[in-house]
Each structure stands twice: as structure tokens, then as C-alpha cells.
Amino acid sequence: GDSVTQMEGPVTLSEEAFLTINCTYTATGYPSLFWYVQYPGEGLQLLLKATKADDKGSNKGFEATYRKETTSFHLEKGSVQVSDSAVYFCALSDSSNQGGKLIFGQGTELSVKP
Amino acid sequence: DAGVTQSPTHLIKTRGQQVTLRCSPKSGHDTVSWYQQALGQGPQFIFQYYEEEERQRGNFPDRFSGHQFPNYSSELNVNALLLGDSALYLCASRVGRVSSYEQYFGPGTRLTVT
């Protein structure tokens, strides 16, 4: 079945460091891909999305490119801030699963130190 | 514009009891999905409601049931609670069932079963 695999955390970075969180997926159809962020004690917020191969999603300095050849959707940010500390989830929604339920990775916790 | 709202925020129940969680979707959204997020894990899809019918279901037992009302709000019912049902329950809404459309999440209901 469809699945999403993320790099394990926690990831600890200093402020202004470069961030990469790896995400790879397995899907039978042509999925849309998402990154969601969860701040402590809160629900999930959509960070960015890409709906077809080679699309680049971007928001708040974060970027991710839909790579069909490597089945990947890695999240990057050039300079992280303390306020970026949160748990990040990669997810897919496959057009073949009749309604687009989201399948999530296990999440990667990011901690940014001043 | 109110986003997705859920009630209650927190709930403590005893093993064997029944619980009902409530969700109001974002304005203009007609599709509601429920997810279970165990501590330290990614959300797992429970089911999706559209036009007051369950349209898609994840790998959850029949103890988990739901309902969608004509105003698109939804309830999640869990019978015969088990300790393992302790989790954050997230409601998400979207327009229609197109997989590329993003889902917006509520803050969740934290259920603790003792």
C-alpha cells in the first residue's frame, strides 16, 4: 500500500543553519504531496504542497520539490529560526484512493537553538 | 473566517465507556475526515464523510463510528473504550474529495482513557 517515510528525529540545529528533512514515498497512482507542521499542543497546519512531478511548493521560506524519479519530497529552508521548532509531517494524497485520504509519515521533530 | 473547530479540547474517560467528539468544518467545506494521532506518531486516517455518508474508511474497528449532519458538522463516536484509544483526535475539512485539495485541521481533542 501507499506509504511515506521520513528521516528520524529529533533534528537539532542552531539558528540560521540550513535545514533538510528527507521524505520519500511509495504510491501506486499519482499522488499530491504535502508538508504539515505541528507546534506543541496544537493541530496540524499545512506548510506547502505540490500536486505533480517537478512542482515546487514554497511557504515561509520553506521549499520542497516533487521528484517523481526518486519518489522524494524533501523539505528545505535556508536559515532556520527558533520559531521553526516543531514537528514536521510529510504526507501524500493519492488520486487512486477514492477521496484523497492523507497518509502521513511518522514526523520529524525539529529543535532550533539560539 | 473561522477555521475547523473541535470540542471538547480534552476528555478523560474510563475503559469500557463511550465517547463522542465533535467537529465543525471550515466555512465552505463539505467534506470531513477524522484522524487518530498516538503520541509520537503521525496521524492515522479513521474515516471520511461527504454528503452525510461515510465514503472511505481506514483500518479501524467498528467501535469507531461517525455521523455528518446537514450543516456538514460531524461527530466521531468510540464505543467500549480501550486504553489504546488514548490519543489526539484530529478533524480535517476540505472542499469535495479531490485529492490535490488541501485539508485543514482543527486543534484536536485529547482523549485519555484510564
Side-chain angles (χ1 to χ4, degrees):
Chain A
D2 296 352
S3 65
V4 174
T5 302
Q6 293 180 232
M7 64 185 286
E8 290 193 14
V11 174
T12 302
L13 296 173
S14 298
E15 206 164 22
E16 300 184 1
F18 184 86
L19 168 70
T20 299
I21 300 178
N22 290 336
C23 170
T24 57
Y25 68 89
T26 302
T28 53
Y30 302 94
S32 295
L33 301 174
F34 305 84
W35 276 101
Y36 282 85
V37 58
Q38 187 173 38
Y39 297 100
E42 298 185 10
L44 276 69
Q45 298 177 23
L46 178 67
L47 185 57
L48 53 83
K49 74 171 188 178
T51 59
K52 61 183 187 297
D54 299 326
D55 268 2
K56 177 185 282 189
S58 61
N59 186 29
K60 300 180 181 179
F62 290 90
E63 294 183 341
T65 301
Y66 188 141
R67 302 286 189 198
K68 189 170 185 293
E69 63 276 12
T70 54
T71 62
S72 65
F73 192 55
H74 304 321
L75 182 68
E76 296 182 337
K77 186 177 186 184
S79 176
V80 294
Q81 305 300 312
V82 172
S83 58
D84 294 326
S85 298
V87 180
Y88 292 81
F89 292 94
C90 184
L92 70 80
S93 180
D94 191 346
S95 60
S96 68
N97 71 28
Q98 301 174 5
K101 72 179 184 183
L102 287 170
I103 296 171
F104 287 88
Q106 74 272 28
T108 302
E109 182 180 358
L110 170 66
S111 177
V112 181
K113 306 298 184 186
Chain B
D1 175 27
V4 180
T5 59
Q6 293 186 243
S7 63
T9 305
H10 296 88
L11 205 51
I12 300 174
K13 289 287 189 178
T14 302
R15 192 171 43 183
Q17 286 188 317
Q18 179 264 344
V19 67
T20 297
L21 311 181
R22 295 177 175 82
C23 171
S24 291
K26 183 177 169 63
S27 178
H29 289 188
D30 56 6
T31 302
V32 173
S33 298
W34 287 91
Y35 292 80
Q36 180 195 66
Q37 185 180 17
L39 198 61
Q41 301 295 317
Q44 298 290 317
F45 175 77
I46 303 175
F47 43 53
Q48 180 188 87
Y49 278 83
Y50 174 69
E51 293 184 336
E52 300 182 49
E53 291 190 15
E54 184 183 293
R55 299 291 181 168
Q56 200 175 18
R57 189 177 183 92
N59 189 25
F60 279 80
D62 291 345
R63 298 187 297 109
F64 289 77
S65 63
H67 188 77
Q68 185 179 36
F69 299 92
N71 67 353
Y72 308 121
S73 66
S74 177
E75 289 182 349
L76 163 65
N77 301 293
V78 186
N79 294 323
L81 285 167
L82 303 174
L83 296 179
D85 295 332
S86 295
L88 181 68
Y89 288 85
L90 297 165
C91 172
S93 72
R94 61 150 40 124
V95 175
R97 302 178 68 227
V98 176
S99 63
S100 61
Y101 289 2
E102 55 262 41
Q103 297 191 39
Y104 291 82
F105 284 80
T109 293
R110 173 72 63 187
L111 173 64
T112 301
V113 182
T114 61

